[in-house]
Amino acid sequence: MSTPVNAPRPPAAESVSITMITLVLPVPAIAGALWFAFADIGLGHRPETWSLLVPVVLAAAAYAYCEVAGFRAQPLPYGGDPAEVENRSWQAFNRAGFVRFVLCEAVFMVTIPIAFVVDSYWPILVGALLAVPLIAWECWPSLRNRRRFAASLEAGGAPSYLLGRTQDRL
């Protein structure tokens, strides 16, 4: 089922967008608050290489998981009320999205104790700069992400209505 580029987003996509904004905003807020914990040293000295490689490796692992398995779902069964099928599709999308979000946010969260161990702000900065774009790319209910998840739901041939219903675009 193809969707024109200028088709309106389903209402559920708007609520997921608000949820994702609410979930991603604490990352820069926490990074900003932790700046004051390291205020006496600023960015600090250049820490050991391992402390900067950990968030990079975690980001690569989170990205790999999200791209390979993060958009998989059980195909939908045939039949049912279209509104109910659409609701189930969005619930599955949200569940998978939260798993992807937790993995992407872990890239940042792991850097907090690392920063205190090496006494440098650099790991937090690297973690935040990797986690925020990763969350935006993998968790935002963009057309790309909805299409990938809809393809997984529709693998059995039943429509998911994740991209919207025909009557909504008329």
Side-chain angles (χ1 to χ4, degrees):
M1 173 177 176
S2 66
T3 302
V5 175
N6 61 353
R9 290 176 62 176
E14 297 300 325
S15 67
V16 175
S17 297
I18 292 169
T19 302
M20 283 302 150
I21 288 171
T22 305
L23 291 173
V24 79
L25 282 180
V27 172
I30 292 169
L34 286 171
W35 172 258
F36 293 104
F38 291 95
D40 58 332
I41 62 169
L43 287 175
H45 62 284
R46 185 181 163 276
E48 292 83 19
T49 306
W50 70 266
S51 67
L52 299 177
L53 284 178
V54 168
V56 172
V57 169
L58 287 176
Y63 176 77
Y65 172 83
C66 291
E67 289 297 310
V68 173
F71 292 95
R72 291 188 182 170
Q74 186 90 18
L76 292 171
Y78 283 98
D81 177 46
E84 183 181 318
V85 171
E86 182 182 14
N87 187 35
R88 280 197 316 251
S89 298
W90 276 105
Q91 287 175 351
F93 181 81
N94 288 341
R95 278 192 304 271
F98 281 119
V99 170
R100 292 189 311 270
F101 171 77
V102 167
L103 291 173
C104 294
E105 188 186 37
V107 172
F108 170 70
M109 297 306 283
V110 166
T111 62
I112 296 171
I114 291 172
F116 283 101
V117 168
V118 297
D119 198 31
S120 176
Y121 187 75
W122 280 105
I124 292 172
L125 187 61
V126 169
L129 290 175
L130 289 171
V132 171
L134 190 59
I135 291 169
W137 180 253
E138 297 294 344
C139 304
W140 192 262
S142 64
L143 187 58
R144 168 201 178 261
N145 290 346
R146 289 185 289 137
R147 280 185 177 162
R148 289 191 67 195
F149 202 77
S152 181
L153 289 174
E154 296 171 356
S160 68
Y161 306 111
L162 198 58
L163 302 173
R165 294 181 284 169
T166 306
Q167 66 268 24
D168 294 337
R169 291 189 294 263
L170 296 177

